[in-house]
Amino acid sequence: MSATPSPRIGIIGTGAIGGFYGLMLARAGFDVHFLLRSEYVAVAERGLRLNSAVHGALTLANVQAYCNAADMPPCDWLLVGAKSTSNAELAPLIAQAAAPDAKVVLLQNGLAVEEGLRPLLPDSLHLLGGLCYICVHRAGPGIIEHQSLGSVNLAYHSGPASDAEAQLAIAEAGAALFKEAGLDSTAMPNLAQARWQKLVWNVPYNGLSVVLNAGTTALMGHGETRALILAIMKEVIQGAVACGHAIPEVFADKLLANTDRMPDYLPSMYHDFVEKRPLELRYIYAEPLAAAERAGIELPRIRALAQQLAFIDTHNLG
Ligand SMILES: NC(=O)C1=CN([C@@H]2O[C@H](COP(=O)(O)OP(=O)(O)OC[C@H]3O[C@@H](n4cnc5c(N)ncnc54)[C@H](OP(=O)(O)O)[C@@H]3O)[C@@H](O)[C@H]2O)C=CC1
Ligand SMILES: CC(C)(CO)C(=O)C(=O)O
């Protein structure tokens, strides 16, 4: 009996998230191929370096690095680690790097990211969402700082697997890859539910870190801002519930307590603001607001935050 061949994994966008998960999978023995853009030369020459508060200092010396997706071998799993703002331009690259029945996993924050990308991908590809619970950022070309956490939850969105059992089996196969790399990973039955749940954290902290120019410790240490964070979290929960995804109100208190235990953290949107990159406003703000509106409710605090972020985004881009 022949052993099942190890799947080939492609990383589309090797930044903080793509670099972290790709490096961990490669160190676990998987055949991982990394698509890069601005950091291609640095990574091809010097490899990827991870400074992790959890796993220590790790290096991946001989990185299978590419600056052109057409040069990548056909990959069975494609992990998309680029920002959701570039998904339209990534679609043809994903199709180029994909094996015929590849599983494409969007490791991105927000709601309905898969709905945005799906029409741009071949029907033969499976599409999944991956919710990363982790604090990582880039500290230089090919250098990733990992402050805490690291789990990733996967759920099936669309593609050739039509029944719920087959879809869950694919999400479980994806979770098994991460587990083999020593990371917590769970297959979830409902992607929209999982995405709303993650937004309870990202909607307040990502946006407020930019508007108030502050990390989590300062935000949490200011009484009125802490109350605002809680109120925004509760609005996200109201939106989720209106859309049919039950999240208990105490979930917000639990997230506040978890954030108190985290090291001071600047969300990825803050780094985009500082680096003058487009902010992920469509999927973290506009899509949840639109979904809530369709379900008949208005979320005024989130709307006001999104309006301020839209102003900042417009003036921040060169
Ligand atoms: N950082 C975190 O802790 C967390 C992030 N997330 C989510 O994960 C996603 C990724 O975030 P993060 O890793 O922080 O982002 P980064 O900015 O660190 O990484 C994005 C990477 O994608 C690359 N990229 C973009 N477009 C292309 C392209 N056309 N071809 C090749 N590479 C490309 C960028 O390259 P270049 O340098 O050239 O721009 C960069 O290396 C986001 O949706 C974010 O919300 C979720 C949970 C936690
Ligand atoms: C901070 C954290 C861990 C919240 O879940 C995160 O995953 C993010 O920044 O998106």
Side-chain angles (χ1 to χ4, degrees):
M1 204 172 74
S2 64
T4 313
S6 176
R8 185 186 287 139
I9 300 171
I11 306 293
I12 303 293
T14 308
I17 288 285
F20 173 83
Y21 288 108
L23 177 147
M24 295 300 284
L25 288 160
R27 285 182 58 95
F30 288 106
D31 180 22
V32 186
H33 299 258
F34 298 81
L35 181 69
L36 294 114
R37 194 170 53 181
S38 63
E39 299 185 355
Y40 167 73
V41 173
V43 171
E45 285 176 0
R46 300 195 292 276
L48 280 169
R49 209 171 83 208
L50 175 68
N51 299 319
S52 169
V54 180
H55 308 282
L58 302 176
T59 301
L60 185 66
N62 298 313
V63 176
Q64 305 189 96
Y66 304 81
C67 57
N68 187 345
D71 295 334
M72 293 173 76
C75 295
D76 305 299
W77 287 86
L78 286 167
L79 308 182
V80 181
K83 290 272 157 56
S84 58
T85 44
S86 47
N87 280 1
E89 71 189 73
L90 290 176
L93 313 186
I94 293 171
Q96 277 176 323
D101 66 343
K103 288 92 185 161
V104 178
V105 186
L106 300 187
L107 298 178
Q108 299 172 326
N109 281 320
L111 187 71
V113 266
E114 292 78 14
E115 281 82 335
L117 187 65
R118 180 75 259 182
L120 308 176
L121 290 182
D123 293 343
S124 60
L125 301 185
H126 300 270
L127 184 59
L128 293 86
L131 286 307
C132 303
Y133 288 83
I134 188 166
C135 301
V136 275
H137 63 273
R138 287 187 274 171
I143 303 170
I144 302 147
E145 294 290 325
H146 175 212
Q147 289 179 271
S148 69
L149 308 175
S151 63
V152 45
N153 293 340
L154 301 188
Y156 196 87
H157 176 265
S158 57
S162 49
D163 64 90
E165 203 182 323
Q167 295 180 353
L168 191 60
I170 289 174
E172 279 166 355
L177 303 178
F178 290 100
K179 285 189 210 162
E180 275 197 53
L183 300 161
D184 281 342
S185 188
T186 306
M188 312 282 276
N190 185 327
L191 179 59
Q193 165 91 26
R195 287 205 165 279
W196 272 108
Q197 200 162 310
K198 178 100 207 297
L199 283 170
V200 180
W201 197 95
N202 292 114
V203 169
Y205 291 102
N206 285 37
L208 289 176
S209 72
V210 173
V211 170
L212 302 179
N213 191 26
T216 50
T217 303
L219 295 173
M220 297 292 277
H222 183 253
E224 284 180 85
T225 306
R226 194 183 175 97
L228 177 61
I229 290 167
L230 183 60
I232 294 175
M233 284 182 169
K234 289 189 175 167
E235 279 194 5
V236 182
I237 292 173
Q238 279 171 32
V241 171
C243 293
H245 306 294
I247 301 178
E249 280 233 349
V250 290
F251 185 65
D253 301 296
K254 196 179 130 198
L255 286 193
L256 276 193
N258 288 350
T259 309
D260 280 331
R261 285 192 291 272
M262 272 166 43
D264 187 27
Y265 174 59
L266 292 162
S268 61
M269 188 171 282
Y270 183 86
H271 294 283
D272 287 336
F273 169 66
V274 170
E275 299 295 333
K276 296 196 174 298
R277 296 189 289 249
L279 308 181
E280 292 182 294
L281 300 186
R282 173 171 172 192
Y283 293 112
I284 297 182
Y285 293 93
E287 293 287 350
L289 282 167
E293 203 173 12
R294 286 195 298 274
I297 62 162
E298 179 55 30
L299 306 172
R301 289 184 184 82
I302 299 175
R303 175 82 61 196
L305 181 55
Q307 286 164 330
Q308 292 167 65
L309 289 165
F311 178 91
I312 291 171
D313 194 34
T314 305
H315 290 84
N316 197 38
L317 299 172

